[in-house]
Amino acid sequence: MPRYFLHQRHRDEIIEDLDGAEFPDLEAVRQEAVLAAREIMSDRLRSGLEMNHSWFEITDEDGKVVLRLSFAEALPHSERGDR
Amino acid sequence: MSRTEPNRLLRKLTPDDLAIFEPELEEVILTKGQMILDAGHEVDHVYFPLDSVCAVLAVTEAQSPIEVGMFGNEGMSNMVVRPGDRTFFRTVCFIPGRALRISAAPFARLLSELRSLNEMTLRYKDAAAIQFGYAAYAHGVFSIEARLARWLLMTADRVHLGDLPVIHDLAASMLSVRRSGVTTAIHVIEGTGAIKATRGLVTIRNREKLEDIAGDCYGPPEQAYEFIMGQQPDSH
């Protein structure tokens, strides 16, 4: 299975995913990013921290960006209708 | 030094009781990820870690297992009162190392025969229950950062290494957090100077800061352990 790296960007800050993880396909990575974004947002919300301007930048093993997903896109009421 | 010396619980046995208990112990190596007890199964051995550390996990059908507690050289695995007793938690080694173990039948017999073993294992049960209770407090109320800080402090208390081999996957499954949540928490904690993280390794740089991040979900159970286990067993 291909390995993907779920880097995070919060404004100017970059949080690198050094280890990465294996996923069957890009849709599975996107699903993981959605669930992770929701979890991080709920934690920040509870701690009273802002969460705008945060997104996932997902790269493949060659370092090529294959997907960008803003945290806002992970909200359940987003137009993509994620559950 | 006797081979039981590194285990703080065994160190509390009276010399007479230890002389009877010790020959029943067998030294084993626990490897990372090795499951020593599984939920719903009979307890075949009782383990006393020397330098290994194990996680106690609640296993449910709906969710992935979640850590409810850990033990290393300060404690022991689930005990048996009678041969055939089952455990309802899963126990997995996460810091590899040595442990002493005893078969269920002799343990159960000696538990009723050796007074200091009986007293110290009962005391340990009490200390462990307090630790498990604080895990509920941590999971219910605290941020991922605080819970990770607690987990790092508890692990550091049980190993004698400067570096903690913390793979994100492992911390994530123990804290029931997604891997990205652990990545973020490590980044935030590292930003305070409390830890230094490299791939797969975390070094504690400033313990006080880490304790501040953990808040009071770390500390009270550790103080309770010292108080409860600090008593000398009755030797009469």
Side-chain angles (χ1 to χ4, degrees):
Chain A
M1 275 199 289
R3 183 169 286 270
Y4 292 98
F5 298 82
L6 285 77
H7 309 295
Q8 295 170 51
R9 287 179 171 269
H10 303 286
R11 289 186 185 275
D12 303 331
E13 203 178 7
I14 302 169
I15 302 179
E16 271 189 293
D17 176 6
L18 297 173
D19 300 322
E22 291 181 342
F23 295 91
D25 53 38
L26 206 52
E27 180 49 34
V29 188
R30 207 187 76 82
Q31 196 57 34
E32 174 60 27
V34 165
L35 295 174
R38 286 180 190 173
E39 187 179 87
I40 293 164
M41 280 192 284
S42 68
D43 207 56
R44 294 174 90 166
L45 185 62
R46 197 160 69 163
S47 302
L49 300 170
E50 67 110 34
M51 62 189 107
N52 296 325
H53 313 288
S54 294
W55 69 95
F56 271 108
E57 200 162 88
I58 298 162
T59 59
D60 63 14
E61 281 170 82
D62 301 324
K64 191 179 130 219
V65 177
V66 290
L67 183 71
R68 281 193 182 83
L69 182 117
S70 75
F71 280 26
E73 282 176 80
L75 291 171
H77 66 250
S78 72
E79 58 195 4
R80 302 193 67 134
D82 293 311
R83 290 191 53 84
Chain B
M1 190 175 86
S2 107
R3 60 179 184 150
T4 55
E5 182 66 18
N7 186 280
R8 297 182 62 194
L9 195 160
L10 294 178
R11 221 185 285 163
K12 301 296 286 191
L13 301 193
T14 60
D16 290 352
D17 286 357
L18 188 61
I20 298 169
F21 193 65
E22 203 273 342
E24 301 287 347
L25 294 166
E26 169 198 12
E27 188 170 319
V28 290
I29 301 289
L30 302 182
T31 56
K32 189 170 181 177
Q34 185 182 344
M35 181 166 64
I36 59 169
L37 295 170
D38 198 12
H41 290 257
E42 249 182 49
V43 175
D44 51 0
H45 291 93
V46 179
Y47 292 79
F48 296 87
L50 300 177
D51 54 13
S52 50
V53 188
C54 296
V56 181
L57 307 160
V59 184
T60 62
E61 276 182 27
Q63 299 284 326
S64 53
I66 185 163
E67 182 178 353
V68 294
M70 69 164 80
F71 62 91
N73 67 351
E74 93 294 1
M76 61 189 281
S77 63
N78 260 53
M79 67 168 177
V80 281
V81 178
R82 217 188 279 165
D85 279 352
R86 286 164 190 271
T87 177
F88 293 87
F89 285 133
R90 177 177 292 172
T91 304
V92 177
C93 169
F94 71 96
I95 304 278
R98 295 168 304 137
L100 295 170
R101 71 176 190 182
I102 174 172
S103 297
F107 180 86
R109 176 171 52 82
L110 293 172
L111 188 65
S112 60
E113 287 174 10
L114 305 178
R115 182 151 183 180
S116 68
L117 177 70
N118 193 287
E119 177 171 341
M120 293 319 293
T121 51
L122 283 177
R123 285 189 182 281
Y124 174 68
K125 281 257 152 198
D126 191 21
I130 295 165
Q131 190 211 103
F132 289 13
Y134 269 75
Y137 176 47
H139 288 309
V141 179
F142 285 82
S143 67
I144 299 171
E145 277 114 69
R147 282 151 58 199
L148 182 66
R150 171 180 187 264
W151 191 77
L152 291 171
L153 287 162
M154 287 177 66
T155 306
D157 289 346
R158 289 161 176 82
V159 297
H160 304 287
L161 305 165
D163 299 325
L164 304 177
V166 179
I167 305 299
H168 292 198
D169 298 27
L170 176 81
S173 66
M174 292 207 175
L175 297 171
S176 214
V177 170
R178 307 196 89 77
R179 223 172 46 84
S180 296
V182 174
T183 309
T184 312
I186 287 179
H187 179 86
V188 172
I189 297 174
E190 194 172 18
T192 69
I195 60 168
K196 177 86 188 93
T198 52
R199 190 173 300 187
L201 275 186
V202 169
T203 309
I204 296 181
R205 283 283 173 81
N206 185 329
R207 210 188 140 94
E208 255 177 50
K209 273 189 186 162
L210 200 54
E211 287 181 9
D212 285 347
I213 295 166
D216 75 347
C217 67
Y218 175 82
E222 285 68 27
Q223 286 155 19
Y225 175 92
E226 296 302 331
F227 180 77
I228 293 165
M229 299 299 284
Q231 316 287 315
Q232 283 309 320
D234 191 343
S235 56
H236 302 296

